[in-house]
Amino acid sequence: MEQQHRTVKQPRSAALPVRDAVERRPKSLSNRAFLAWILGLTMLVLALSLVAGSETRLVGLLIFLPAIAASVGTVRQTQIASAWATVAVAVSVARSPGYHLDDGLTLALTLVFAGLAVYGSRWRIARDSELVRLRSTAAVIQQHILHPLPELTSQVRVDGVFEPLQEDKLFGGDIYDVAATRYGTRVLIGDVQGKGLSAVGVAFAVLGGFREAAHREPTLSGLVEALERSVVRHNAYARHAGEQERFVTALVVAVDPLDSGTAQAVNCGHLPPYLVRDGGPPQRLRLEDTGVPLGLASLVDEERSAQTFGFPPDSTLLLYTDGLSEARDGNGLFYPLTDRLAALVAKIGAPEPEASGAAEAGGTADAGRGAAGTAQDGGGREAGGGGAAAPASGAPVLGLAQALRDDVRAFTHPYQQDDLAILTLERRPAYAAGTADPNTG
């Protein structure tokens, strides 16, 4: 029995990239595009001035070249555009002199705009570089808070992807964690209200509470109540400091090592999971007793309760945040998650016989802390309400989270509207002989 509670060491992978924030640099025009742009605008102004017969007046429009270069180009490109505009205006004035005052004002304004453009370009580049450094720091912090996946326990293999929005608020609101305890494998996925540094404290509170209570609380509802208290305490500190109070939607799943056919979940206002089997279409689990988000329990009389649902071996449970289900394309249409999930499952098909045999044989190895948190020992459950039954048996679908990530990227291209977190829990075959699938006769 001891082996059932031990995790199996998995190599850390790039399954949870925080995109490429660490490697990004401030965006700017390529030199080829810059040259084509500056020559094209110059030729356009000269052509219009020749047609209008007022070269000196229209060539003054080139004064805007440095300003445009300052907004999208590098400092060197802005300097070149400034010099180009100044020389063009000077040559035009020399070729067709007019009133001295007008010529002087045109040259003076060109020089002033050129100087301001170079200064503005330097300021913009410095600001963008600082923002990139901040994003890099935020990405590293998030990578250390949310450990890389996959994680393999004696009951499930947890894999997934995580991509924060990476806007100026830097920190995303999506969180997740995995704990392999003596009560079973417990998995958390959640979404903190809002984003930015002010939401990080709530995320820390929930993750810290989960990593401690998952090993202490024997029941799943007790674990969720501990998370509720963590959010309430944090909101009390936030209220005292004059900051905004926040809530957290969360879904907590427990897989019992002594039960090979079911699992339990407590839904705190989060999106319902999908159950995927190779023998049938994905099922959206209808968890009847959906509670309020963490931090809002005082507003209702009903207590949160755990619900039992079918989760037999060789099936996959999909957990996700609204960055997947509420993603929109350029026309404002929502991502059709159910249809796309069914298509991807059919496309991916059954996996090759991979490291599952080796992993099960090596079930006594000590685990790396995978994607999210502490990993010690194995499984746990409590009595709960009924849930959805699983389809016919089949094999787990490997790479599903990555396939969904790529698919929703293509759907929303070129913009990502929200943080994205996707977790897959692949139920491993039971160790104990004679354990039966509760969904079969």
Side-chain angles (χ1 to χ4, degrees), residues 18-305:
V18 187
R19 301 194 69 172
D20 53 351
V22 178
E23 300 176 357
R24 282 185 179 177
R25 295 180 178 179
K27 295 181 179 179
S28 60
L29 286 175
S30 65
N31 290 331
R32 180 176 298 179
F34 169 74
L35 290 175
W37 166 75
I38 196 172
L39 290 175
L41 286 181
T42 302
M43 295 302 294
L44 176 62
V45 169
L46 291 178
L48 290 176
S49 64
L50 290 176
V51 172
S54 54
E55 178 182 351
T56 303
R57 187 181 304 124
L58 289 182
V59 81
L61 294 176
L62 293 178
I63 198 174
F64 294 105
L65 283 178
I68 298 174
S71 63
V72 295
T74 64
V75 174
R76 182 177 296 275
Q77 289 172 347
T78 305
Q79 291 171 338
I80 293 174
S82 299
W84 179 273
T86 302
V87 171
V89 171
V91 170
S92 177
V93 169
R95 288 183 64 251
S96 303
Y99 294 105
H100 295 295
L101 180 60
D102 291 344
D103 293 345
L105 285 175
T106 301
L107 282 172
L109 287 176
T110 302
L111 290 172
V112 169
F113 268 76
L116 291 175
V118 173
Y119 173 80
S121 177
R122 292 183 183 278
W123 181 87
R124 178 183 64 83
I125 295 297
R127 182 202 61 183
D128 290 350
S129 298
E130 180 64 21
L131 185 57
V132 168
R133 284 193 292 271
L134 290 174
R135 284 177 172 168
S136 301
T137 303
V140 171
I141 291 174
Q142 285 182 312
Q143 284 177 327
H144 282 79
I145 295 173
L146 307 174
H147 303 288
L149 292 173
E151 173 152 338
L152 183 65
T153 73
S154 59
Q155 295 88 43
V156 294
R157 180 182 186 271
V158 184
D159 201 356
V161 294
F162 171 67
E163 291 186 353
L165 181 59
Q166 301 244 336
E167 57 182 12
D168 289 352
K169 293 180 179 179
L170 303 178
F171 286 90
D174 291 357
I175 56 175
Y176 62 89
D177 211 338
V178 180
T181 75
R182 68 178 184 270
Y183 305 113
T185 302
R186 291 171 166 183
V187 181
L188 162 73
I189 189 168
D191 190 355
V192 178
Q193 176 197 11
K195 296 179 178 64
L197 292 174
S198 58
V200 172
V202 186
F204 283 170
V206 174
L207 290 173
F210 177 83
R211 290 169 181 174
E212 190 272 332
H215 298 271
R216 185 191 69 229
E217 297 293 337
T219 65
L220 193 60
S221 59
L223 167 58
V224 172
E225 287 308 308
L227 299 181
E228 172 72 21
R229 291 191 295 270
S230 297
V231 176
V232 170
R233 281 194 298 268
H234 176 81
N235 282 337
Y237 283 112
R239 185 169 57 251
H240 181 73
E243 298 178 356
Q244 180 183 356
E245 299 181 47
R246 299 178 184 272
F247 61 82
V248 183
T249 65
L251 179 65
V252 186
V253 177
V255 183
D256 192 332
L258 303 179
D259 188 335
S260 64
T262 64
Q264 288 191 318
V266 176
N267 192 345
C268 305
H270 200 72
L271 299 162
Y274 281 83
L275 185 65
V276 180
R277 297 294 302 278
D278 186 58
Q283 277 190 331
R284 186 176 184 179
L285 298 182
R286 302 292 180 180
L287 301 177
E288 298 176 358
D289 298 329
T290 299
V292 296
L294 298 173
L296 302 179
S298 61
L299 302 179
V300 297
D301 296 329
E302 297 82 6
E303 294 185 357
R304 302 182 180 96
S305 60

Side-chain angles (χ1 to χ4, degrees), residues 260 430-437:
S260 64
Y431 283 100
T435 54
D437 186 336

